[in-house]
């Protein structure tokens, strides 16, 4: 049985980024760039004015000078008159600097009168000019492949005239619940039956990564039902099943997946919660069989499926931010297995504190609801005293962004 780290590594070794597709701006926002963006031209394309003002020769302005206005240049037009000794051109922000000029004086710092401009103070050369290529030089790499396209990146792509953007394709992720006890959400409750919450939870978790969930429904605890629905699931880019993967006599997931040609890579991971988590592949596609318990399925999705999906989508950063936090209470466990505790992390004095989010029994979903982190309690240790520093994977985006 692989350890936590072995399982994570093995999974990532088995998945590769999906193909590339061209997506039109601005829909490329939030996606991952598949090929580096190289500047096709200098940005800005020419020296231009950073202010509404007067383009002139700095050497003509030693203090309280009067220059003749030789032209007017709004944005969007090209200069026709050069600036010569003793003259200036009225210029608007963004207009190209006329030949001969080497500085701009803002309108507020000069006085215009009858075809003349008075500049009361000395002007340093280069003032208020945006120089050709000062932002980006033609031929330089602006955005490396694997970058998440945020608005500034979209701005660069647009400025480079790149309307069609090469992006990694988004995985289609099939989700299958299994179990005779399951009802779909909205069906009337019945004795012995529980609501299939996992399909909804996993679909939401998949969507949060940016991938596309496909909810297949419920496979009943018989071979035929499993065969039919799993064959469907194996058509997606990635397949997730929930429940039926322990050793109960109705747990058919493993045997039917094998029958359908899935090569098992491992059947269990040495962790708690989430030990009955299986992973296999078919034709290079990843198949995850997660535990049925709602807490375990979400925790194992978070730690094992999410990084795989991010890799398939071409992300360079596959894991949530990991921090060290000080445990606020004593926790005991049996040595041997790594435990993932649902914790509430708060920032304090430049560090972090981790408090248990509630009862750690895997049947308690509410604890997962309150948690903004998963604390890793190392396999070989059994006693974690209050004050011990533990590694925590942050789940909550607002926390990641520091705006608690
Ligand atoms: P199993 O792995 O089939 O033994 O299921 C483990 C536990 O998870 C049982 O208590 C199931 O009732 C529960 N469970 C299984 N599938 C789901 C599901 N889709 N939604 C919510 N709970 C489930
Ligand atoms: Mg079952």
């Amino acid at each position: 049985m692989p350890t936590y780290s072995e399982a994570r590594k093995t999974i990532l070794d088995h998945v590769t980024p999906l193909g590339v597709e061209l997506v039109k701006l601005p829909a490329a926002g939030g996606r991952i760039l598949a090929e580096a963006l190289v500047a096709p031209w200098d940005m800005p394309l020419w020296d231009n004015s950073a202010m509404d003002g007067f383009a002139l020769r700095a050497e003509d302005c030693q203090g309280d000078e009067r220059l003749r206005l030789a032209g007017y240049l709004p944005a969007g037009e090209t200069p026709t008159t050069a600036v010569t000794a003793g003259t200036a051109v009225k210029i608007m922000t963004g207009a190209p600097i006329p030949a001969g000029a080497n500085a701009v004086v803002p309108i507020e710092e000069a006085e215009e009168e009858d075809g003349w401009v008075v500049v009361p103070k000395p002007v340093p050369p280069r003032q208020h000019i945006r120089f050709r290529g000062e932002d980006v030089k033609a031929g330089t790499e602006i955005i490396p492949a694997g970058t998440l396209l945020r608005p500034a990146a979209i701005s660069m792509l647009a400025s480079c005239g790149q309307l069609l953007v090469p992006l990694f394709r988004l995985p289609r992720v099939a989700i299958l619940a299994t179990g005779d006890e399951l009802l779909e959400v909205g069906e009337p409750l019945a004795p012995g039956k529980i609501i299939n919450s996992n399909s909804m939870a996993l679909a939401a978790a998949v969507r949060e990564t940016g991938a596309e969930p496909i909810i297949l429904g419920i496979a009943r605890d018989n071979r035929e039902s499993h065969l039919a629905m799993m064959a469907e699931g194996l058509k997606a880019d990635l397949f997730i099943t929930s429940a039926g993967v322990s050793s109960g006599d109705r747990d058919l997931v493993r045997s039917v997946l094998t029958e359908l040609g899935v090569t098992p890579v491992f059947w269990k991971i040495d962790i708690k919660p989430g030990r009955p988590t299986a992973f296999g592949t078919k034709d290079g596609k990843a198949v995850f069989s997660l535990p049925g318990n709602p807490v375990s399925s979400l925790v194992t999705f978070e730690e094992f499926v999410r990084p795989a999906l991010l890799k398939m989508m071409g992300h360079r950063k596959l894991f949530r931010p990991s921090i060290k936090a000080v445990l606020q209470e004593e926790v005991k466990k049996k040595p041997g297995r790594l435990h993932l505790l649902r914790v509430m992390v708060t920032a304090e004095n430049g560090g972090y504190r981790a408090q248990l989010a509630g009862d750690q029994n895997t049947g308690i979903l509410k604890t997962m609801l309150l948690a903004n982190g998963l604390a890793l309690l190392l396999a070989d240790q059994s006693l974690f005293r209050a004050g011990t520093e533990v590694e925590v994977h942050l789940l909550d985006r607002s926390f990641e962004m520091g705006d608690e």
Side-chain angles (χ1 to χ4, degrees):
M1 185 181 353
T3 63
Y4 168 84
S5 325
E6 287 163 354
R8 261 193 160 188
K9 181 173 184 312
T10 304
I11 290 166
L12 291 177
D13 286 346
H14 280 86
V15 297
T16 47
L18 297 178
V20 174
E21 63 181 354
L22 291 176
V23 175
K24 219 170 170 184
L25 289 182
R31 300 272 305 264
I32 302 295
L33 189 66
E35 289 163 25
L37 173 69
V38 175
W41 43 64
D42 284 335
M43 286 192 266
L45 276 164
W46 8 262
D47 297 354
N48 68 92
S49 178
M51 301 291 267
D52 295 333
F54 302 92
L56 40 71
R57 295 160 20 113
E59 53 271 37
D60 287 352
C61 302
Q62 307 297 335
D64 212 12
E65 306 287 349
R66 208 160 169 265
L67 305 173
R68 189 172 57 77
L69 277 178
Y72 172 65
L73 201 51
E77 290 194 11
T78 49
T80 46
T81 13
V83 169
T84 51
T87 71
V89 163
K90 190 169 184 183
I91 192 166
M92 297 298 113
T93 305
I97 300 292
N102 63 4
V104 170
V105 172
I107 271 176
E108 303 78 11
E109 293 172 21
E111 228 161 277
E112 191 182 340
E113 50 190 40
D114 300 331
W116 293 82
V117 60
V118 175
V119 182
K121 278 191 260 168
V123 176
R126 302 173 69 87
Q127 165 178 285
H128 299 312
I129 294 179
R130 303 189 286 218
F131 290 94
R132 171 176 182 157
E134 74 173 14
D135 189 358
V136 177
K137 294 245 180 316
T140 51
E141 181 178 303
I142 310 176
I143 311 176
T147 300
L148 175 70
L149 297 178
R150 305 194 52 232
I154 297 296
S155 182
M156 278 295 183
L157 285 156
S159 304
C160 291
Q162 185 136 12
L163 186 60
L164 291 174
V165 185
L167 301 177
F168 286 110
R169 201 162 66 67
L170 294 177
R172 296 168 66 249
V173 181
I175 298 166
L176 179 67
T178 70
D180 279 343
E181 75 275 37
L182 300 178
L183 297 170
E184 291 295 16
V185 192
E187 284 188 305
L189 299 181
K193 309 286 188 196
I194 61 157
I195 295 174
N196 168 19
S197 56
N198 285 352
S199 292
M200 299 295 161
L202 292 169
V206 166
R207 201 174 283 292
E208 226 179 53
T209 68
E212 183 197 338
I214 303 162
I215 295 181
L216 296 179
I218 301 167
R220 297 305 174 185
D221 289 333
N222 62 73
R223 182 174 158 269
E224 294 66 37
S225 177
H226 273 55
L227 272 174
M229 298 195 85
M230 287 180 161
E232 208 46 47
L234 288 170
K235 293 181 188 162
D237 296 310
L238 185 141
F239 184 25
I240 304 174
T241 68
S242 100
V245 77
S246 318
S247 31
D249 52 10
R250 295 246 176 116
D251 289 344
L252 298 164
V253 167
R254 306 185 209 182
S255 61
V256 176
L257 282 176
T258 313
E259 199 175 334
L260 286 169
V262 174
T263 309
V265 177
F266 56 76
W267 284 131
K268 282 187 173 134
I269 309 174
D270 208 5
I271 52 167
K272 184 182 172 155
R275 193 159 115 121
T277 296
F279 174 69
T281 58
K282 186 184 181 193
D283 307 328
K285 290 182 189 176
V287 179
F288 288 88
S289 300
L290 305 185
N293 182 296
V295 169
S296 312
S297 69
L298 277 181
V299 168
T300 50
F301 178 93
E302 180 57 44
E303 294 289 335
F304 302 102
V305 187
R306 185 178 182 273
L309 272 175
L310 295 190
K311 186 170 179 192
M312 289 168 75
M313 285 187 269
H315 281 257
R316 277 174 300 165
K317 183 171 170 269
L318 304 182
F319 304 116
R320 300 270 200 193
S322 175
I323 53 150
K324 295 274 186 212
V326 178
L327 260 185
Q328 298 301 298
E329 55 220 279
E330 183 172 297
V331 182
K332 286 186 186 143
K333 72 169 184 63
K334 284 193 208 140
R337 269 204 262 172
L338 180 137
H339 282 214
L340 291 152
L341 285 188
R342 286 154 276 160
V343 294
M344 283 185 311
V345 179
T346 45
E348 200 182 75
N349 301 331
Y352 297 100
R353 297 153 49 114
Q355 228 171 331
L356 297 186
D359 186 339
Q360 297 293 317
N361 191 308
T362 48
I364 309 298
L365 183 61
K366 197 169 65 202
T367 307
M368 190 72 196
L369 190 65
L370 296 175
N372 64 356
L374 293 171
L376 279 68
L377 299 188
L378 298 182
D380 52 354
Q381 290 174 37
S382 55
L383 176 64
F384 299 80
R385 291 185 200 283
T388 310
E389 245 191 9
V390 290
E391 183 183 347
V392 178
H393 295 167
L394 294 177
L395 303 173
D396 187 335
R397 281 214 67 222
S398 63
F399 201 99
E400 272 172 49
M401 294 159 74
D403 55 28
E404 272 200 284

